[in-house]
Amino acid sequence: MNSDRHPLREVGSFNCLCADGSFTSSVFDGSQCNLLDDVVSVEEDQPPLEDYCTCSLPHFESAEPPDFEQFPLECLRQGRRRRLVNNSCNSNPVSFEISGNKSQRSVRHKSVQFEDTFLLREENPRLIYINDPRKTNDKYEFSGNEIRTSKYTIITFLPKNLFIQFHRLAYLYFLAIAALNQLPPLAVFGRTVSLFPLLFVLCVTAIKDGYEDWRRHRSDRNENNRESLVEQSGGFRLKKWKKIQAGEVLKILANETIPCDMVLLGTSDPSGLAYIQTMNLDGESNLKTRYARQETALAVSEGGRISGLVRCEQPNRNIYEFTANMEFKGQKFSLSQSNIVLRGCQLKNTEWIIGVVVYAGQETKAMLNSAASPSKRSKLESYMNRETLWLSIFLFVMCLVVALGMGLWLLRHNEELDTLPYYRKRYFTHGRDDGKRNKYYGIPMETFFSFLSSIIVFQIMIPISLYITMELVRLGQSYFMIEDKDMYDSSSCSRFQCRSLNINEDLGQIRYVFSDKTGTLTENKMEFQRASVCGKNYGGSLLMGDSLQEKNIAVTQRRWKLKSEVSVDSALMALLHKDVVGDERIAAHEFFLTLAACNTVIPILTHGTSSSCINGEFHEDVEAIDYQGESPDEQALVSAASAYGYTLFERTSGHIVVDVNGEKLRLDVLGLHEFDSVRKRMSVVIRFPNGAVKVLVKGADTSMFSILANGTEMDDHITNATQSHLSEYSSQGLRTLVVAARDLTETELETWQCRYEDASTSLTDRVVKLRQTAALIESNLKLLGATAIEDKLQDGVPEAIEALRQAGIKVWVLTGDKQETAISIGLSCKLLTSDMQQIIINGNSEDECRNLLADAKSKYGVKSSNGRNQNLKCNKNAETGNLKVPVNTKSSNVPQWYAGKEDGVPSVPLALIIDGNSLVYILEKDLESELFDLATSCRVVLCCRVAPLQKAGIVDMIKSRTDDMTLAIGDGANDVSMIQMADVGVGICGQEGRQAVMASDFAMGQFRFLKRLLLVHGHWNYQRVGYLVLYNFYRNAVFVLMLFWYILCTAFSTTSALTDWSSVFYSVIYTSIPTIVVGMLDKDLSHKTLLRYPKLYGAGHRQEAYNLRLFWITMVDTLWQSLVLFYIPLFTYKESSIDIWSMGSLWTIAVVVLVNIHLAMDIRRWEVFTHVAVWGSIIITYACMVVLDSIPVFPNYWTIYHLAKMPSYWLTILLIIVIAILPRFLFKVVHQIFWPSDIQIAREAEILRRHNYLGLKQDHSSS
Amino acid sequence: MASKGATSSGGAKDGTSDSSSSSKKNSKKPKYSRFTQQELPACKPILTPGWVITTFIVVGIIFIPIGFASLFASEWVVEIVDRYDEDCVPRNYTYNQLAYIQSSETNKTCTKRLIVPKQMKSPVYIYYQLDNFYQNHRRYVKSRSDKQLRSRASEGDTSSCKPEAVGGNNYPIVPCGLIAWSLFNDTYGFSVKNKALEVSKKNIAWKSDQEHKFGSDVYPKNFQSGGLIGGAKLNASIPLSEQEDLIVWMRTAALPTFRKLYGKIETDLEANDEITVVIQNNYNIYSFGGKKRLVLSTTSWIGGKNDFLGVAYLTVGGLCLFFAISFIFLYVIMPRPLGDPSYLSWNRGQVN
């Protein structure tokens, strides 16, 4: 057919990623393309591939029969291993990203014959008949374009809402208890009373849900009733969005929103180009190009009805992939991501587009992507669940005691039961009931019922309301975090965002921070700094573009102006304007041509901007040119090229126009191989006006030097010079790219074109095939030079990292950058210090890595992983030990002891630097533990050249091997997997779009806010929630225990002395408000103190606010308090005429006052709200009791009035409070005197303002 | 604080066209307020040695006088307790108390003599005390109908009263339920030196109960007409609101040992007076091993005779003073300067 009969002459050497460290190469018969497909698919079906390897295949010359070539297959470990990873991550390469636009522009239209087998392998493709919606929707019921984000309709609201609400365990518990209470033998509470809490919660939630859904309905309605132009009976007429169907042809005008996913057929641009803005989809504000296929674009411009068949994959949520092909006028060609526009995008800079609907309504990628990310559960909450289990055991034991007591009591009084004046199981009336039993079911059943009814009475032992309370408290905490003015980024106008409400308190316990570098530590504003052209270094002396501008204009007579200013190097500039034609001059020319051409940047011309007004007199038709691209690196490079006189002027699907010093150069683009994370380079094949064809390549140095031509000595010299320049650049923290090019011969071109056609129209494994095709031309390249781009550090990064480190948080940087770059950035942000011992793991095979790790471990005395738990502990000790030493004491006499302490090996701070290649081998299980041991004993870990999934792998390693909390922070799509993997994911709203933000739990504008987020808010949240949980356990348990003791005095008959309403109100009204207020507002330390002493963060690491010991102490205290609560009234009113309601009233008020005083004693900051809440609830309790006792219906009528007259009532309450609180108070005082916690000391210092001790600034917030 | 708020809000309001555009740009910026920045004025209590010692001393100083006062009040109360359930059973029935009490033939009258230890000022309250009687049993507590007790219209509202809800002829029992059915029916007659003491049975129940819970138009019906007689019968011509014994009884006791007010003696009793009590020992506590006591007691501001409050207050007060002194010593012997950074965990290692 095409290149089949030409043996592939050169395969070159490839970097390939293979499974299990072995090559998977296969024999390939060039004559049958589909065989390759089969082979690839077989390879792809292999079990999850575990590792990466880089291997260079030897050059296979045709020693074998020409038809058979060894062909390397590249297999990337896909997201299969960790399915939670967003699909989109895979397509996003590591460091310099040129993702997205696949511009496979076919210049030659060649219809590729697909064999039947090929189509058969397509799994159930979706068939769209263009302009024939009826036929399209004939067989399959594709969804219409009506969208519904609302959950309910009026009819389904009640059942569905209830159904969803009862998914919560808490509500089921409520329901079960309420249902139990409805059974006649068990009716402990009044039936309506027992339903009250459940109904209350259900109603509130239902109203909230209903209101939200009503708003969704409204927005859906608006959305569905928007109109678009749809081809109907020969012309474009307006049609409501909800009526649009798959298969219809739509016309979208400029600035309109796209109603559904459409394949472009034609645009106002003759070459079929369209620009869209995908802000609504992924938050990226730059314009992206989409192309209509030439074939259809022509047909559209000719007018007339278009008909054809689109065969596309089933709807999926990957917005970066689209695989389809189209049959049109007998031709068959492929469609890809660049041919589709998605719902929610806006059309920009293009008059109109015409497209056919392929996915509509709920099946559009935008709608499929709207699902929420999985929710995380905080660690404290999981501990809390463990303790809840203990409480359940207590509950069970208590119920068992009551039930057994009941059984034994019945057994003992079995003879008398019939006549007991206070029990009476029989009727003794002269009626039909005479002699029958009254509510008596035999001893075993009575015992069982007693068990159930005691569950009802003791139900609040399980603090179900705590979950609701915690939600409210976290909501309040989130409010304060969002409103914090110190976490507002004025440069991007972005507030702090809480996207997840469940894990606020985790922020107070973070031990590992995994940070992306680009855009997170750095600003991701790229500046072209240095260039190495033909072995010469330029850029040492840079002049601002402004000062050169006049000269430039004079020379180039350019009529436009860059929007961004770029500084240029005069020597290089001079070289470019040399008239002499020499090697160097040509290399420089090609160098900048590559920079201008080999990218996916779109130039946007705008007329007469205000900035050009200054020079307006001289250049009346000044045009401003703005480059829009997905990668800031590319933008920087193109801008730089422009500054040197190579201005990318126009880009369409088939050609680009470069303005070379005023001369317009039109280059046909024959093909473009996008950047991907495997090849780490990008290439473009262009045809010059004179017919010469060149391939221009740029890429990472590691991937480039291996594919350079082995040429003359001169070349070697240049290569060496460039390499030394590169290492120089990267040591300065610059990002480097290598630029190369070569001419293509006709035969090479043809071979490549055939394969390219084939690969780019293939429906399956297109990526792999394109990669193989790229390998054909990306070989034997001529080195042109290298570029260096500066990535500036964000404000406050070194300080933030220093503070985090002092706080005992380990900061690991995971970057896709080169090792040298990473180290230099590490140095500049104080992550690495000069006194650190750097361990560099840079292995190329499993054995090498193992040896390197073993060496490092033995050298620095890191204990081996036998008995990992011990070791873990050891490490932790070591860390706490390390904390004692002030970080800045370089010449400290106290050596810093690490895990090697026992071995007597003194160690200096270690820094581990490891690259992605080594990680490929090491993340295999057996080496992973070695790495873990080494890494955890290092102060800093720097991983460079890591792929997105490796980032997640490293996070996973720490997560699975320790109990420590991890936080991942990043800004780009490549950080998504890491963000989702970590316990806490933080997104930076930066330059690289919003994907990281969408996947994160918290989002903010700058890295430095992390310091405040963790040290201040994290600390507060943790302290607050920790106390909240303990207090709520106590609050409920003390009440239940009090009831329990009483039941022991009532012949185990589950009588409650409290009125039903008091029992219900206890946790709902009487005591709920103060906990919420305190959970939101209480602060132990001011933010100034916390920021000043980052080590106070260690309280979270040591789990000081909530741990099992505290739980048991609380429970013992609870036991004591409940005994006091019960027995003091008992002794006071022993042998008196007190009645059950008075006693109940006394107990109610005593327990409410007690728990509030208990809380009051622990409050560390009394604000107005706290006062109102605490004293208010006591007052409200009294008010409620007065009201309840004033209703004659209740048996407790007038009780409180009688009680209040008795002095003994008041004395009893006072006595209860004092005796109950006394042990806790004593414990607290003694603890604070002899074992003061860090927080306690800092608090004392802060309040007593011992500036001379701690040098604290005056805290203005204190009154 | 107020001035700050005024300037910031003023700035926003006074904004002219260009400043409004800038404020629009900054609209996402959180507005400063002490609340949102968590900087509200607050009192931050701290357990300084001074506070701790003061607290203990204050508690001690308050508690000890209260303790003495309560103890004196309790001492001042004169109480005579006499258990009569066993004494009032004739010898020959000692081993068959149940038969004695259940038989209608036997003579239930029993005479006891009590010596007044100290002068008892009027009013002297007469209580009966029952032991091991679970008036707080759930089945018992619930076996009543407040609606029925309150109004004549709800006479038939007896569903909660089982098994004493309706009589043999299916007419509702008024008052229904086990509580009323088991009404205490021992009676006491008192005389000193052969002169009968008048026992006032008025105003022994709560006024609120009489007025609002027990209807003045509700009369006992079908009461104690079943196969098993539980206790006292009621005079069907007196409305429930006047049946104070019943009202007292229906306020069920909190604990299995309880006293209920029987009546009041409105005359003073002198020390060493011998009171003759004639007891009608009707109430059956023998079937479940209960006890019956007759209690004569004066009262004080603290209530009846109970030393517990006084002793407890004295103990706690003493304990607090003891703690206060101990802490003073502790602070003197082992002072820890507050807020001393050398005690911080990361500094402790260095100091040593």
Side-chain angles (χ1 to χ4, degrees), chain A residues 21-33:
Chain A
S22 63
F23 322 130
T24 43
S25 48
S26 59
V27 177
F28 166 65
D29 183 356
S31 65
Q32 283 194 316
C33 289

Side-chain angles (χ1 to χ4, degrees), chain A residues 185 187-188 416 419-431 438-439 446 453 479-480 482-485 488 493 495 883-884 886 1017 1020 1024 1046 1049-1051 1053-1055 1083 1087 1095-1096 1128 1130-1132 1135-1143 1163-1167 1169 1192-1195 1197-1199 1202 1207-1208 1211 1214-1215 1218-1219 1222 1225-1226 1229 1232-1234 1236 1238 1241 1243-1248 1250 1253-1254 1259-1260 1262-1263, chain B residues 25-32 34-48 52 55-56 59 63 66 70 127 129 132-134 136-142 146 150 162-164 166-168 170 178 181-182 206 208-209 212-213 225-228 251-260 283 287-288 301-302 306 308-309 312-313 316 319-320 323 327 330-331 334 336-341 343-346 348-350:
Chain A
V188 177
E416 310 142 13
T419 53
L420 272 186
Y422 51 84
Y423 190 89
R424 272 291 294 283
K425 70 177 185 192
R426 246 176 237 281
Y427 285 91
F428 288 100
T429 46
H430 298 303
N438 168 37
K439 295 190 269 182
E446 284 291 306
S453 55
Y479 171 78
F480 285 124
I482 292 166
E483 289 292 325
D484 191 336
K485 66 178 169 48
Y488 169 77
C493 285
R495 281 188 189 198
L883 284 179
K884 288 174 189 167
H1017 288 285
W1020 285 343
R1024 286 165 181 173
Y1046 184 64
C1049 294
T1050 62
S1053 65
T1054 61
T1055 319
K1083 291 202 310 196
H1087 63 99
K1095 280 177 182 148
L1096 292 171
I1128 288 191
L1130 191 77
F1131 288 136
T1132 313
E1135 296 180 336
S1136 77
S1137 59
I1138 195 155
D1139 63 281
I1140 190 168
W1141 314 117
S1142 303
M1143 202 70 155
I1163 290 177
R1164 285 163 294 196
R1165 206 163 179 277
W1166 283 90
E1167 290 173 3
F1169 298 102
V1193 185
F1194 296 130
Y1197 179 64
W1198 222 245
T1199 309
H1202 274 272
S1208 58
L1211 286 182
L1214 180 66
L1215 190 65
V1218 171
I1219 295 187
L1222 198 62
F1225 185 72
L1226 263 179
V1229 169
Q1232 289 191 4
I1233 295 172
F1234 295 109
D1238 295 344
I1241 294 164
R1243 205 172 111 79
E1244 288 164 2
E1246 180 189 310
I1247 294 165
L1248 302 175
R1250 298 263 173 127
Y1253 278 111
L1254 286 172
D1259 185 2
H1260 296 288
S1262 62
S1263 55
Chain B
K25 215 165 104 191
N26 292 334
S27 63
K28 277 177 86 183
K29 177 159 185 165
K31 277 195 194 119
Y32 176 84
R34 291 192 120 187
F35 176 69
T36 58
Q37 302 308 315
Q38 309 191 47
E39 287 172 358
L40 284 177
C43 153
K44 292 183 265 185
I46 187 169
L47 287 174
T48 58
V52 171
T55 312
F56 278 124
V59 171
F63 269 48
I66 294 179
S70 315
Y127 297 95
Q129 178 178 334
N132 204 16
F133 189 103
Y134 288 91
N136 55 14
H137 197 286
R138 184 157 65 90
R139 294 171 70 118
Y140 187 80
V141 170
K142 290 194 172 301
D146 280 309
R150 200 166 61 246
K162 286 169 188 171
E164 287 294 330
V166 288
N170 263 344
L178 278 176
W181 173 79
S182 61
W206 290 15
S208 56
D209 283 355
H212 294 106
K213 287 195 74 72
S225 61
L228 195 68
R251 246 190 191 264
T252 49
L255 300 167
T257 300
F258 61 90
R259 288 176 182 180
K260 290 213 173 278
Y283 200 66
S287 61
F288 53 87
W301 61 270
I302 195 90
N306 190 339
F308 174 75
L309 272 182
Y313 265 91
V316 174
L319 217 61
C320 284
F323 285 137
F327 276 111
L330 269 179
Y331 286 124
M334 281 189 279
R336 176 178 75 83
L338 290 178
D340 185 348
Y343 283 83
L344 287 167
S345 66
W346 59 85
R348 242 174 269 160
Q350 274 188 327

Side-chain angles (χ1 to χ4, degrees), chain A residues 126-130 307-311 325-328:
Chain A
R126 175 182 257 233
L127 300 177
I128 305 286
Y129 297 93
I130 300 169
S307 57
L309 174 65
V310 177
R311 215 181 249 108
N325 61 42
M326 186 192 269
E327 269 175 43
F328 181 70

Side-chain angles (χ1 to χ4, degrees), chain A residues 529-531 537-542 568-569 571-572 644 729:
Chain A
Q529 287 287 346
R530 312 285 291 267
N537 189 3
Y538 298 97
S541 60
L542 290 174
V568 295
D569 180 78
L572 189 54
Y644 284 101
Y729 297 159

